[in-house]
Amino acid sequence: MNFDLTEEQIAVRDAARDFAQNVLKPGVIERDRDQRFPHEEVKQLGELGFMGMMVDPKYGGGGMDTLSYALAMEEISKVDASTSVCMSVNNSLVCWGLEKFANEEQKLKYLVPLATGEKIGAFCLSEPEAGSDATSQRTTAIDMGDHYLMNGTKNWITNGSTASVYLVIAQTNVEAGHKGINAFIIEKGMEGFIVGGKEDKLGIRGSDTHTLLFNDVKVPKENRIGEDGFGFTFAMKTLSGGRIGIASQALGIASGALELALAYSKERKAFGKEICKHQAIAFKLADMATEIDAARLLVWRAADDKDQGRNYDQSGAMAKLFASKVAMDTTVEAVQIHGGYGFVKEYHVERLMRDAKITQIYEGTSEIQKIVISRNLIGKI
Ligand code: CAA
């Protein structure tokens, strides 16, 4: 077993770290406060090749492995999880889903501008009444002969207003249950497609999370992805990889919090010595570092499973389940170590604590990860 990174992986990690520290950090508190999307920063990420990292270079991507992507996600998320969720959705849900399952014509038209970061994508599965219970899709796309007619509402959509390409899951045959679901490529500007309200969130406030409305949207037949009825499998397979991205995000939030807590505890003095020299704080740091390393091993294992062509449904779910808990626990402790300073925005850890929570919810809640993991162990109950 070899845990050494290649020169290329180290270069990717370092480039992401430089970008996070030099470009993202300066405005991160203000973007969080004002709920401002990092337009300029995401554009630069695209120019650096971070928006389509794993996509084949022939479609404008970086041709990198999943581990490189996980490393970059960790570094970006240490500083700005609002930017990293935009990056994660574009890379692992939208670009990967298109590269793996779209036809050549769709790839040339949609994947290329998404992989280069020229356009941003969104993944639209959740609905007001279909979150964890993803087979209960209410959005319909009825076959009208020469087109599909789409009606319904999607919510909690990351990149909701910034995206220009949307992968939308909809029911085309209600009687057929999950086998009557399809995935479609929807473009911003299609008649009847409306970007609705923006959510005012606890965390990842710089990301734009919106409701989307589809009112008699005429979807061209050629915009369906894959064979008829493939949509639910498409969503599940795509989310399996997405979960590695969110696990990496959680890992980054946790390791960012540890870095801040460590630095603060080495400077801050109480009772005549630096607080890191008090066992109460030293043991917290030890626990945080151990849990973060364990989370990193799970993330790297899942990334390696994907890179080696092994099944990663289980390892990705485990990585997300564990890393998101570590993100939550570690950020709470980082605030505690900072004392009163941890409770104010200037010291960053309160934002990391708020950002950590969503990693236990989106792309499958922790409870959904446990369903996936337990079904792999014992089958469907
Ligand atoms: N790959 C391929 N197929 C899969 C699959 C996978 N990973 N997981 C399930 N399926 C298939 C099953 O085999 C089954 O097909 P068959 O009947 O042909 O065998 C079909 O899908 C239905 O599966 P289940 O019977 O297991 O369905 P279920 O209703 O019992 O539960 C679930 C499925 C795993 C709970 C699923 O609903 C799920 O993952 N829910 C969570 C949804 C989710 O993660 N939402 C996140 C929203 S996206 C987001 O957050 C993006 C963002 O913007 C950040």
Side-chain angles (χ1 to χ4, degrees), residues 126 132 134 158 178-179 232 236 239 243 363-364 375 380:
S126 301
S132 289
T158 304
H178 71 267
K179 290 185 167 60
F232 193 71
M236 290 296 107
L239 275 168
R243 288 167 187 165
E363 298 203 23
R375 281 185 183 173
K380 197 169 172 179

Side-chain angles (χ1 to χ4, degrees), residues 152-171:
T153 304
K154 294 286 174 184
N155 67 349
W156 316 125
I157 305 304
T158 304
N159 301 336
S161 65
T162 312
S164 28
V165 177
Y166 299 77
L167 305 188
V168 181
I169 312 298
Q171 195 82 44

Side-chain angles (χ1 to χ4, degrees), residues 187-257:
E187 290 181 59
K188 188 181 261 165
M190 281 182 170
E191 207 179 325
F193 171 38
I194 298 161
V195 176
K198 179 175 168 173
E199 303 296 342
D200 185 359
K201 308 188 296 283
L202 171 76
I204 55 163
R205 288 170 59 79
S207 72
D208 60 328
T209 311
H210 283 259
T211 296
L212 305 176
L213 304 146
F214 303 88
N215 298 329
D216 285 337
V217 179
K218 276 186 177 180
V219 184
K221 280 260 159 120
E222 63 265 25
N223 282 30
R224 192 186 76 205
I225 301 171
E227 294 297 311
D228 190 20
F230 179 64
F232 193 71
T233 307
F234 171 84
M236 290 296 107
K237 284 186 180 291
T238 305
L239 275 168
S240 281
R243 288 167 187 165
I244 302 175
I246 300 304
S248 312
Q249 179 186 50
L251 172 63
I253 293 171
S255 50

